[in-house]
Amino acid sequence: MDKAEQKQTGNTIFLSHAAKSGRIGNVISIASGKGGVGKTLTTVNLAVALQRMGQKVLILDGDLGLANVDVVLGLASRYTIYDVLNEKVTIRDIILDGPMGLKIIPSGSGITSLVNLSYLQRVQLVETISKLDENFDFMIIDTGAGISAPVLHLNSMADKIIVVTTPEPHATLDAYAFIKVMQEEHKIGAFDLLVNMTRSQEEGTEVGRKIAEVADRYLGARVNVIGSVPHDSQVRKYTMARQAASEHSTFTVAGQAWNNIAREIVETTGSGATSQRDFWQNLVRFKKSARVNENSQTL
Ligand SMILES: Nc1ncnc2c1ncn2[C@@H]1O[C@H](COP(=O)(O)OP(=O)(O)OP(=O)(O)O)[C@@H](O)[C@H]1O
Ligand SMILES: [Mg+2]
């Protein structure tokens, strides 16, 4: 970071607001309790479908899973956010170009591990990424499975949380656990639910209805079933070929289902706007209270 842009007084660092920061219309996180339910595939396919509808989409790959977004799309990411921090490259150098003009910030060693950055590295990260002055209609975050604190934090920053589950009892129980803990820890009371790899439309509807009913009765949480995506053997074929199924949606039933959900998102989403700076500043704010206790620093 340009030292001239940083003024340090006591324990508080004030960030310069000179750099123009781009805006994000809506932030959507793709979450799940259990791993392997199709978050990455959902992220990629919704993003491609939205982009094809004329929306500008940025994927933030916050996942540490085996099949990362860049791998699924067949893109090679040479650099990560850590290289930006080490001043080897700029933020523009790490953003990957996906199909249909889609942009991707690859995970490197996982966005959630950014919470382990030192205080000064956090300030530097916010400054460098804030220089991204492009506007996006949507940022979709592939957040990774589970209910670890960094994953929950990442989800809490979204305008819309889409919880992905499969019809299997383990997956639905973990989806419910995710909703419960998000509500307890982050006071979030509304979620969208996507049932993936269903064997029939009825199965998707039934699984969604049950989760929504239980979440309403025991948690008072609102769960909107945004849709279901059938199990489709073509998906694996396209994943192996590293192509997003939405590109072939005319031929795959799963691709069509993801397209329909993307349409629903566009039709039901209002136009919010968060600056890139605010988003990244909130992201690295994760241990703020712990750090404040430790050494009274604020960001
Ligand atoms: N609708 C579908 N039909 C058939 N296979 C699917 C479908 N959705 C996902 N899959 C397959 O399921 C596997 C897991 O998908 P994916 O990697 O998207 O899950 P994930 O939730 O991101 O996993 P992780 O928690 O490890 O990050 C992949 O092999 C993918 O091809
Ligand atoms: Mg994944």
Side-chain angles (χ1 to χ4, degrees):
M1 179 171 72
D2 181 354
K3 294 275 185 297
E5 288 182 15
Q6 179 189 317
K7 216 174 26 163
Q8 187 160 0
T9 312
N11 285 323
T12 306
I13 289 183
F14 296 100
L15 297 170
S16 148
H17 286 269
K20 189 170 155 254
S21 177
R23 304 193 81 77
I24 311 160
N26 278 282
V27 178
I28 300 178
S29 67
I30 308 296
S32 76
K34 189 176 176 297
V37 294
K39 287 177 302 300
T40 301
L41 265 285
T42 296
T43 301
V44 165
N45 282 286
L46 289 183
V48 173
L50 286 169
Q51 190 77 37
R52 209 168 32 191
M53 287 171 204
Q55 306 291 317
K56 253 191 109 189
V57 186
L58 173 67
I59 290 182
L60 173 60
D61 185 0
D63 189 15
L64 274 173
L66 289 178
N68 282 346
V69 169
D70 51 343
V71 175
V72 168
L73 284 169
L75 303 169
S77 57
R78 269 180 70 201
Y79 300 111
T80 71
I81 280 177
Y82 288 89
D83 296 309
V84 178
L85 277 177
N86 295 333
E87 294 176 19
K88 280 196 200 147
V89 292
T90 69
I91 179 69
R92 268 170 229 294
D93 295 322
I94 68 163
I95 293 186
L96 302 171
D97 290 308
M100 316 269 162
L102 176 65
K103 304 278 185 215
I104 298 120
I105 299 183
S107 72
S109 50
I111 290 288
T112 48
S113 65
L114 290 179
V115 300
N116 294 320
L117 295 178
S118 73
Y119 175 69
L120 273 173
Q121 281 176 315
R122 289 163 196 237
V123 174
Q124 193 184 350
L125 181 78
V126 173
E127 276 300 303
T128 48
I129 297 197
S130 296
K131 290 193 177 123
L132 200 60
D133 57 5
E134 263 176 277
N135 294 329
F136 291 93
D137 299 303
F138 290 96
M139 176 196 265
I140 306 187
I141 314 174
D142 185 358
T143 61
I147 52 171
S148 70
V151 168
L152 296 180
H153 171 66
L154 196 51
N155 276 291
S156 74
M157 291 168 46
D159 301 304
K160 187 190 219 19
I161 301 175
I162 301 181
V163 184
V164 181
T165 185
T166 62
E168 276 67 47
H170 279 104
T172 56
L173 280 173
D174 286 358
Y176 176 80
F178 171 85
I179 291 168
K180 185 169 188 278
V181 74
M182 275 309 286
Q183 198 190 40
E184 281 170 4
E185 309 254 323
H186 290 278
K187 314 285 170 246
I188 291 174
F191 301 83
D192 285 270
L193 183 79
L194 186 155
V195 188
N196 187 24
M197 299 196 237
T198 57
R199 277 160 297 189
S200 67
Q201 182 69 47
E202 293 71 40
E203 183 184 49
T205 309
E206 187 55 17
V207 168
R209 190 189 59 74
K210 273 192 188 144
I211 295 177
E213 204 177 283
V214 175
D216 178 38
R217 185 182 310 158
Y218 296 105
L219 307 174
R222 265 191 304 124
V223 173
N224 168 49
V225 184
I226 198 161
S228 59
V229 177
H231 185 277
D232 181 347
S233 55
Q234 296 281 71
V235 168
R236 189 177 147 74
K237 198 176 111 194
Y238 286 123
T239 311
M240 297 301 280
R242 299 183 169 189
Q243 291 168 315
S246 280
E247 287 181 71
H248 308 270
S249 55
T250 343
F251 311 111
T252 72
V253 278
Q256 278 171 22
W258 274 309
N259 277 346
N260 291 339
I261 293 168
R263 201 166 303 117
E264 168 86 12
I265 289 171
V266 171
E267 282 166 9
T268 56
T269 306
S271 54
T274 312
S275 75
Q276 294 271 0
R277 178 187 297 275
D278 288 348
F279 176 84
W280 289 91
Q281 202 157 327
N282 284 336
L283 176 66
V284 298
R285 242 183 208 150
F286 177 69
K287 281 189 181 170
K288 185 183 166 193
S289 54
R291 296 193 71 83
V292 167
N293 293 340
E294 258 171 41
N295 51 17
S296 302
Q297 286 179 325
T298 54
L299 182 67

